[in-house]
């Protein structure tokens, strides 16, 4: 495991540094304003001929770099989950005109979606895992939903329009 040093930079943000296996020194300055600086640096013992690099990244660029460097492991894990037969994990972005905007989330089972779970509501930079039925949903929120593909599609239709489509029977085909 990599040993990361964290240093607060008053009025600037936080500096995270670590040393690579081959002796390289890497740092990220996470500015309070949202942008980040990716840097390599040297100590006096490294000598004067060491190349130093500094690269300023916007918040979006920093997220992209994180995805390229390691976030793909998360994506691959979610993709593996999404390949489980009968399970769909999907994200619903709430717009101003959607029915669910300004409403309480409610319990999926009470709305005809037994077997569907709202795993989290993402608002800005924070996630609200396992939100309670009285959790109020706002435009800009993203709902993370898990269930069968059919139930997820029906829930998304409900989130948009407020109308539920109920199956005529819960019996298995041929039953």
């Amino acid at each position: 495991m990599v040993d990361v040093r964290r240093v607060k930079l008053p009025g600037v943000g936080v500096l995270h540094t670590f040393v690579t296996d081959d002796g390289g020194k890497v740092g990220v300055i996470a500015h309070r304003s949202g942008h980040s600086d990716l840097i390599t640096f040297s100590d006096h013992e490294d000598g004067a001929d060491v190349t130093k690099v500094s690269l300023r990244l916007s918040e979006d660029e920093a997220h992209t770099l994180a995805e390229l460097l390691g976030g793909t492991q998360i994506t691959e894990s979610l993709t593996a989950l999404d390949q489980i037969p009968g399970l769909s994990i999907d994200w619903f972005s709430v717009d101003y005109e959607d029915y669910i905007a300004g409403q309480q989330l409610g319990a999926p089972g009470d709305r005809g979606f037994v077997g569907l779970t709202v795993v989290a509501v993402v608002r800005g930079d924070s996630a609200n895992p396992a939100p309670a039925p009285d959790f109020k949903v706002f435009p800009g929120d993203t709902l993370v939903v898990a269930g069968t593909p059919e139930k997820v599609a029906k829930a998304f239709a409900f989130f948009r329009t407020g109308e539920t489509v109920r199956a005529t029977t819960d019996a298995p085909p041929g039953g």
Side-chain angles (χ1 to χ4, degrees):
M1 178 163 228
V2 177
D3 181 31
V4 177
R5 292 190 59 216
R6 183 175 187 255
V7 179
K8 290 183 183 179
L9 302 174
V12 176
V14 180
L15 169 65
H16 297 89
T17 61
F18 66 94
V19 178
T20 65
D21 287 340
D22 67 354
K25 295 174 180 76
V26 179
V28 174
I29 301 172
H31 292 263
R32 292 173 45 181
S33 62
H35 66 271
S36 299
D37 293 331
L38 175 63
I39 60 173
T40 62
F41 60 96
S42 61
D43 293 334
H44 60 81
E45 66 230 18
D46 293 330
D49 59 343
V50 175
T51 303
K52 299 171 189 161
V53 177
S54 177
L55 180 63
R56 169 110 350 143
L57 302 171
S58 70
E59 189 172 357
D60 189 43
E61 292 164 340
H63 287 290
T64 300
L65 180 60
E67 175 69 23
L68 292 171
L69 291 174
T72 53
Q73 294 172 0
I74 296 168
T75 303
E76 289 168 3
S77 297
L78 287 174
T79 301
L81 276 177
D82 211 20
Q83 292 175 0
I84 297 172
L87 176 65
S88 178
I89 301 171
D90 212 339
W91 290 257
F92 179 86
S93 298
V94 181
D95 292 327
Y96 283 93
E97 63 273 1
D98 291 333
Y99 169 79
I100 197 72
Q103 302 289 324
Q104 289 184 349
L105 186 59
D110 294 346
R111 294 190 167 163
F113 305 114
V114 175
L116 181 95
T117 302
V118 177
V119 178
V121 176
V122 179
R123 180 173 293 155
D125 290 336
S126 64
N128 300 284
D134 64 349
F135 186 91
K136 197 163 186 179
V137 178
F138 293 103
D141 286 353
T142 299
L143 309 179
V144 182
V145 180
T148 65
E150 298 79 22
K151 289 181 182 177
V152 169
K154 288 178 183 179
F156 283 13
F158 172 77
F159 295 155
R160 290 236 185 272
T161 66
E163 298 175 13
T164 57
V165 179
R166 294 183 187 257
T168 55
T169 180
D170 285 335

PDB file of all heavy atoms in Angstrom, residues 60 103 108 161:
ATOM      1  N   ASP A  60     -13.102  18.883 -13.535  1.00  0.00           N
ATOM      2  CA  ASP A  60     -13.521  17.843 -14.471  1.00  0.00           C
ATOM      3  C   ASP A  60     -12.313  17.056 -14.990  1.00  0.00           C
ATOM      4  O   ASP A  60     -12.354  15.835 -15.103  1.00  0.00           O
ATOM      5  CB  ASP A  60     -14.294  18.470 -15.635  1.00  0.00           C
ATOM      6  CG  ASP A  60     -14.940  17.434 -16.526  1.00  0.00           C
ATOM      7  OD1 ASP A  60     -15.510  16.460 -15.994  1.00  0.00           O
ATOM      8  OD2 ASP A  60     -14.865  17.599 -17.762  1.00  0.00           O
ATOM      9  N   GLN A 103     -40.538  16.060  -4.680  1.00  0.00           N
ATOM     10  CA  GLN A 103     -41.352  15.075  -3.958  1.00  0.00           C
ATOM     11  C   GLN A 103     -40.493  14.273  -2.995  1.00  0.00           C
ATOM     12  O   GLN A 103     -39.283  14.173  -3.154  1.00  0.00           O
ATOM     13  CB  GLN A 103     -41.996  14.092  -4.954  1.00  0.00           C
ATOM     14  CG  GLN A 103     -42.863  14.726  -6.008  1.00  0.00           C
ATOM     15  CD  GLN A 103     -44.158  15.262  -5.428  1.00  0.00           C
ATOM     16  OE1 GLN A 103     -44.726  14.675  -4.520  1.00  0.00           O
ATOM     17  NE2 GLN A 103     -44.595  16.395  -5.941  1.00  0.00           N
ATOM     18  N   PRO A 108     -40.309   2.302  -2.582  1.00  0.00           N
ATOM     19  CA  PRO A 108     -40.622   1.715  -3.887  1.00  0.00           C
ATOM     20  C   PRO A 108     -41.755   0.681  -3.825  1.00  0.00           C
ATOM     21  O   PRO A 108     -42.617   0.649  -4.699  1.00  0.00           O
ATOM     22  CB  PRO A 108     -39.305   1.076  -4.329  1.00  0.00           C
ATOM     23  CG  PRO A 108     -38.253   1.888  -3.635  1.00  0.00           C
ATOM     24  CD  PRO A 108     -38.867   2.246  -2.313  1.00  0.00           C
ATOM     25  N   THR A 161     -43.126  10.768 -14.975  1.00  0.00           N
ATOM     26  CA  THR A 161     -44.521  11.151 -15.213  1.00  0.00           C
ATOM     27  C   THR A 161     -45.424  11.073 -13.985  1.00  0.00           C
ATOM     28  O   THR A 161     -46.491  11.678 -13.975  1.00  0.00           O
ATOM     29  CB  THR A 161     -45.141  10.237 -16.277  1.00  0.00           C
ATOM     30  OG1 THR A 161     -45.215   8.899 -15.761  1.00  0.00           O
ATOM     31  CG2 THR A 161     -44.335  10.272 -17.566  1.00  0.00           C
TER      32      THR A 161
END
